[in-house]
Amino acid sequence: MPGYFETVPGGGAAVALDPVETSILRSLAVQLLELIGPGDEPVEGEDPLAALFAEGPSEAPADPALARLFPEAYVDPTSDPAAPDKEQLAASSEFRRFTENDLRTRKREDALSVVRNLDALAAAADDEPGLVLKLLPDESRRWLGTLNDLRLTIASRLDITEDDESELLYALPDEDPRKPMVMAYLWLGGLQETLVETLLP
């Protein structure tokens, strides 16, 4: 199972990761956590229930990567950005105010789960190199979310669209400065695809 997920009898998934792959995945997940942000801690003495109903931002993030992670809900992506539909923008703004905080929390928790799984694997590998990462079904879903978020982030940084996922990405010369990120993007895609297959009934 080197490099790709396989189904584990009884549910869950497993993948063999060497120390370099483990380190790369952990670094990417930590960078994703930094991009998403730490989240708002409740003010000391404030009712924690009130924090649950706190409103989030109403405008899309300026960072293109965050804009892909937290897209506009009601705006047609094919519409002219210079002439946006005001009703669609208003609906998206309202939707974002009441959903983005929760979405950020979920993405943060998913990425933290990935980091913890990798840390546990690295600690175990100190005693027994070559161990296989095994995930429970719930952990698999968290990994799937994080792998998707990582690919969206890298695609944004490289200005990759779905139409670019072709032979052009594989054909980049080694001296192209984008090559390492493109290879990570393609590798994450393979992990994501095989992890999806383990979750299918």
Side-chain angles (χ1 to χ4, degrees):
M1 68 178 67
Y4 296 106
F5 283 99
E6 292 184 3
T7 305
V8 173
V15 61
L17 296 171
D18 64 33
V20 172
E21 291 169 329
T22 301
S23 176
I24 291 171
L25 278 170
R26 189 187 190 284
S27 175
L28 290 172
V30 168
Q31 290 176 59
L32 179 64
L33 283 166
E34 292 171 353
L35 178 66
I36 293 170
D40 296 326
E41 293 294 327
V43 177
E44 187 175 346
E46 183 180 327
D47 181 1
L49 187 61
L52 290 175
F53 297 97
E55 294 182 6
S58 58
E59 295 183 4
D63 185 314
L66 284 173
R68 278 207 189 181
L69 294 177
F70 306 101
E72 296 283 18
Y74 297 104
V75 175
D76 182 356
T78 63
S79 62
D80 181 3
D85 183 299
K86 292 183 179 179
E87 288 186 11
Q88 289 180 351
L89 282 178
S92 285
S93 175
E94 190 72 2
F95 184 80
R96 184 181 295 278
R97 277 199 311 137
F98 295 105
T99 61
E100 186 170 310
N101 283 348
D102 287 343
L103 186 56
R104 280 181 183 265
T105 297
R106 181 177 61 76
K107 289 181 181 295
R108 194 161 41 244
E109 289 173 350
D110 288 351
L112 278 170
S113 178
V114 169
V115 171
R116 290 184 186 117
N117 289 144
L118 293 170
D119 284 348
L121 181 69
D126 288 341
D127 300 323
E128 190 177 342
L131 289 181
V132 172
L133 175 68
K134 295 179 181 177
L135 303 176
L136 298 172
D138 183 59
E139 292 172 327
S140 294
R141 286 185 281 274
R142 289 184 178 277
W143 268 73
L144 192 58
T146 296
L147 289 172
N148 185 62
D149 288 344
L150 287 172
R151 292 191 82 235
L152 286 173
T153 301
I154 292 174
S156 173
R157 296 299 187 229
L158 293 172
D159 201 24
I160 294 174
T161 66
E162 289 182 9
D163 295 336
D164 294 324
E165 293 189 44
S166 64
E167 296 176 3
L168 293 176
L169 293 180
Y170 291 95
L172 281 178
D174 290 341
E175 60 272 15
D176 192 306
R178 298 170 296 167
K179 185 70 176 265
M181 286 187 73
V182 166
M183 295 308 295
Y185 175 79
L186 295 172
W187 175 52
L188 292 170
L191 288 173
Q192 183 181 12
E193 183 179 347
T194 55
L195 185 54
V196 167
E197 291 171 358
T198 71
L199 292 170
L200 295 176

